């Protein structure tokens, strides 16, 4: 097994947890926020996880526009990137979001990222990239320790929120 296969497997598992935790949510559950809480709605967190994957891989690593922009997902999802993702402004925009379209976008960015990673050699994954405050690291470490871990982190948040709403957050 090569490193790219490990990376796509790790990303796939994290995405799978996120999809499982959101399966069967109704419109109110997607958008519900607990009064006095600082955590955003499930819709906000889900959209953030998809957009961040797009940004991290396409903009940071590949130095190209996000799929969200290239394929005009804003018009499909009915939500622009406003106020910084996971801000109150972002959360306030989410009631207008088409979450079925966000699921489609999440699937599209997942396919694009997996195709990209599948095209990489082990030498490519050893290439050093610089990522903000984390500094220099190998691309493979960035994909696993930043991109996949970010999705898994938010999948855990969504799973907890789904559990609070009476659903089953994770398959285990």
């Amino acid at each position: 097994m090569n490193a790219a296969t490990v990376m796509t497997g790790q990303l796939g598992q994290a995405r799978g947890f996120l999809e499982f935790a959101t399966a069967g949510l109704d419109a109110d559950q997607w958008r519900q926020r607990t009064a006095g809480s600082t955590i955003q709605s499930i819709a906000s967190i889900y959209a953030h996880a998809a957009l961040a994957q797009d940004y991290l891989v396409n903009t940071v690593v590949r130095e190209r526009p996000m799929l969200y922009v290239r394929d005009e997902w804003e018009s499909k999802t009915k939500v622009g990137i406003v106020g910084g993702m996971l801000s109150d402004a972002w959360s306030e925009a989410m009631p207008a979001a088409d979450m079925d379209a966000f699921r489609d976008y999440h699937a599209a960015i997942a396919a694009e990222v997996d195709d990209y990673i599948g095209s990489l050699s082990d030498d490519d994954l050893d290439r050093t990239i610089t990522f903000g405050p984390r500094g220099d690291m190998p691309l493979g470490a960035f994909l696993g320790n930043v991109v996949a871990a970010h999705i898994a982190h938010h999948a855990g948040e969504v799973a907890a929120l789904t559990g609070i709403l009476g659903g089953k957050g994770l398959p285990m």
Side-chain angles (χ1 to χ4, degrees):
M1 178 181 303
N2 65 19
T5 302
V6 173
M7 291 292 117
T8 56
Q10 187 177 11
L11 282 161
Q13 184 175 37
R15 293 180 197 122
F17 288 150
L18 188 60
E19 293 305 318
F20 184 92
T22 57
L25 293 176
D26 64 33
D28 290 335
Q29 291 171 318
W30 273 107
R31 291 161 177 83
Q32 183 173 334
R33 282 187 77 186
T34 304
S37 173
T38 58
I39 196 164
Q40 302 295 323
S41 67
I42 292 172
S44 296
I45 297 166
Y46 182 95
H48 166 77
L51 284 158
Q53 179 180 192
D54 191 354
Y55 171 77
L56 291 169
V57 174
N58 279 319
T59 303
V60 173
V61 174
R62 300 175 80 186
E63 299 178 340
R64 61 188 279 186
M66 292 171 58
L67 178 69
Y68 199 75
V69 173
R70 285 184 280 125
D71 285 1
E72 300 178 1
W73 281 97
E74 180 177 338
S75 66
K76 298 171 190 174
T77 62
K78 300 179 177 48
V79 176
I81 302 172
V82 297
M85 291 184 285
L86 295 183
S87 67
D88 286 337
W90 172 254
S91 189
E92 289 166 11
M94 289 310 292
D98 179 334
M99 293 314 296
D100 289 332
F102 258 111
R103 281 191 182 282
D104 292 343
Y105 164 64
H106 193 215
I109 189 56
E112 181 174 292
V113 167
D114 287 353
D115 285 348
Y116 168 68
I117 293 171
S119 75
L120 300 175
S121 68
D122 287 348
D123 287 341
D124 293 329
L125 291 166
D126 284 337
R127 175 176 65 94
T128 299
I129 67 161
T130 302
F131 179 60
R134 294 216 180 174
D136 293 343
M137 67 182 80
L139 175 57
F142 177 79
L143 294 170
N145 298 332
V146 175
V147 180
H150 182 259
I151 297 168
H153 163 86
H154 288 304
E157 286 180 316
V158 168
L161 290 170
T162 300
I164 288 169
L165 296 173
K168 185 171 182 180
L170 290 177
M172 311 172 209

